[in-house]
Each structure stands twice: as C-alpha cells, then as structure tokens.
Amino acid sequence: MPVTPAGSVPRHVAIIMDGNNRWARKRLLPGVAGHKAGVDAVKAMIEVCAEDGVEVLTLFAFSSENWRRPDEEVGALMELFLSALRREVKRLRENGIRLCIIGDRSRFAPELRKAMSDAEALTAEGRRLTLVVAANYGGQWDIAEAAKKLAGQVVEGHLAIDQITEQHVEAALSTSSWPLPDLCIRTGGEHRISNFLLWQLAYAELYFSDLYWPDFKKEALREAFADFARRQRRFGKTSEQIAADS
C-alpha cells in the first residue's frame, strides 16, 4: 500500500474506536473477542500514521462512561489493556513511537497505573509518532480539570479572572502538549463524538465510517486521509479568502 501523498496528511488524527462488541456478536463471539480483534486495528493505525508522517494519533480507548458496562466486560478490558501495554511497549520504543496516556487514572488498579507509567517512561524518547491513549477520559472531565487549574491560579494570585482567555483554557487541558486534532474518525456507523475531546474538536474535520473497528484496516484509514485532503478548512473565513491566502 503506497504512502499517502505529502500535503494531504493531518498532523493530528483522533479516533473513536467503535463497534468491537457488534463485530463480535455478528460472529457469535463473546464481546471480549471483538476488543482483542480491535488491538490488531490499533497496530495498523499506528503503522500507517508513522509511515505517512502523522505527528499525533489519539485513540479513545476507554471513556469515563464505560464503567457502566457489565463488570465482566470491564474486567476483561482492563486485563487486555494491561497485557497490551506490557506486550507492545518494546515494539513501540524500537519504532520510535512515544506513548502518552490521558485521563483520570485514579480508578485503575495500582498494577495498571504502574504499567502505564512504565510504558510512558520507556517510550519517552520516541520522536517518529506520539501515540496518545485516552483511558477513563471524558471531554467534560478534561474541561472541568482545566477549570480547576485556572481557578487555582486565580486563588494564588497568578491570574485575574478577567484575564482568562480561550488560550488559557486550552493550555490547561490534558492535550496541551500537542497540536489540536485535524481529523476525528469514528467507526461503527454512529455519528456522534460521545464526550471525546469536546474542546479540542471545535474545528476538526469529522469522518464517520460504517465499518466496525476491527474491520477498519490500513486502506480504510488512507481513504479517510484522502477524504480529508479534498476538504477545504476555512476556520470561519470564506472560500474566497482562503483562495487569496494560498
């Protein structure tokens, strides 16, 4: 499969990986089988993004609402997450992939929290691609945490209330180290963003695929990149203004 042409690749790709359970049910398999199959799709996305020059790939792995799922499924997801971290961290490091995890870690077991920190430390020197995994993450939580940080600065006298701008909020979010997402992909046929990167996706291009996540292969990602390349991103300007600026 050829690399996507230069100039058509987003800097930051965010993906809502949806449809694992439905993929499994369609095959008369338990739900965890769909999540395990989804790990292969993750590997394919990492390979394409690294090959094509994407700077940041953010994956919505486990939302703050996913704790409402059956205990058996949540437990299986935690075990899968832990085993994937331990199994894949060496490969990520060897391929220059830096792993960063965003979200509230307080609810995870100590063993999993340690595996997260260890994986981040071991891949910290990666420069080819930054892989961001959103785990126990919610966009509303992220904005609320940013508000707490800013409120603390106000209380400490480092910032006045009337000085707070959108830039201050953005700098306080968990994604402040990276460029805002250019493209957000959701698989599984649903057309919503489900509390994912609510602030950050304000001007992202949205791409929805009917494919279940385990079926979203390399070709499907490059089709999304091709669709992205055909769009005109105006950021509030007119098409004429964009043409004049180019």
Side-chain angles (χ1 to χ4, degrees):
M1 175 61 64
V3 172
T4 307
S8 61
V9 177
R11 293 181 66 194
H12 185 167
V13 178
I15 304 180
I16 302 171
M17 307 178 292
D18 193 19
N20 289 334
N21 279 328
R22 284 173 287 161
W23 182 92
R25 284 199 299 270
K26 187 177 179 180
R27 291 160 176 76
L28 304 179
L29 297 170
V32 68
H35 295 298
K36 289 180 179 178
V39 173
D40 291 331
V42 169
K43 295 177 183 177
M45 298 304 103
I46 294 171
E47 289 179 16
V48 169
C49 288
E51 290 171 2
D52 289 11
V54 172
E55 296 177 24
V56 182
L57 170 63
T58 298
L59 302 176
F60 202 9
F62 190 83
S63 78
S64 51
E65 289 78 26
N66 285 154
W67 295 105
R68 302 169 185 168
R69 295 192 173 193
D71 291 343
E72 181 180 353
E73 180 178 351
V74 171
L77 283 169
M78 295 301 106
E79 290 179 10
L80 182 61
F81 191 13
L82 180 60
S83 64
L85 281 173
R86 290 174 169 170
R87 186 178 62 250
E88 300 298 331
V89 64
K90 182 178 178 182
R91 184 181 305 174
L92 292 175
R93 182 174 60 181
E94 290 174 348
N95 286 280
I97 312 297
R98 180 187 181 191
L99 175 66
C100 298
I101 301 170
I102 59 173
D104 181 6
R105 304 189 192 190
S106 64
R107 196 165 175 179
F108 293 126
E111 184 180 20
L112 181 52
R113 293 202 301 269
K114 184 178 185 304
M116 291 177 179
S117 298
D118 290 347
E120 287 178 316
L122 286 168
T123 62
E125 300 303 315
R127 295 293 181 267
R128 191 179 179 199
L129 170 72
T130 297
L131 172 63
V132 182
V133 174
N136 195 23
Y137 174 89
Q140 293 172 334
W141 167 86
D142 202 358
I143 295 170
E145 289 298 302
K148 291 177 187 177
K149 293 177 185 177
L150 294 176
Q153 293 179 36
V154 171
V155 170
E156 293 168 2
H158 301 309
L159 185 66
I161 291 177
D162 58 4
Q163 291 178 324
I164 298 174
T165 64
E166 291 92 338
Q167 289 73 32
H168 286 98
V169 176
E170 194 169 303
L173 295 170
S174 60
T175 55
S176 61
S177 299
W178 311 296
L180 293 172
D182 300 294
L183 173 65
C184 178
I185 299 168
R186 180 171 187 147
T187 62
E190 303 292 352
H191 292 185
R192 56 178 178 268
I193 59 175
S194 297
N195 197 22
F196 181 48
L197 300 177
L198 295 181
W199 179 285
Q200 298 89 332
L201 294 179
Y203 272 100
E205 297 296 319
L206 305 181
Y207 181 90
F208 300 103
S209 171
D210 289 333
L211 293 173
Y212 296 140
W213 176 243
D215 293 328
F216 197 81
K217 308 296 186 183
K218 292 183 178 182
E219 296 80 2
L221 181 58
R222 289 200 164 109
E223 286 177 11
F225 286 176
D227 181 85
F228 173 82
R230 290 191 292 268
R231 301 188 189 187
Q232 184 184 64
R233 305 186 73 198
R234 295 191 292 274
F235 298 99
K237 294 183 178 180
T238 67
S239 297
E240 291 76 15
Q241 286 175 303
I242 297 297
D245 291 340
S246 61

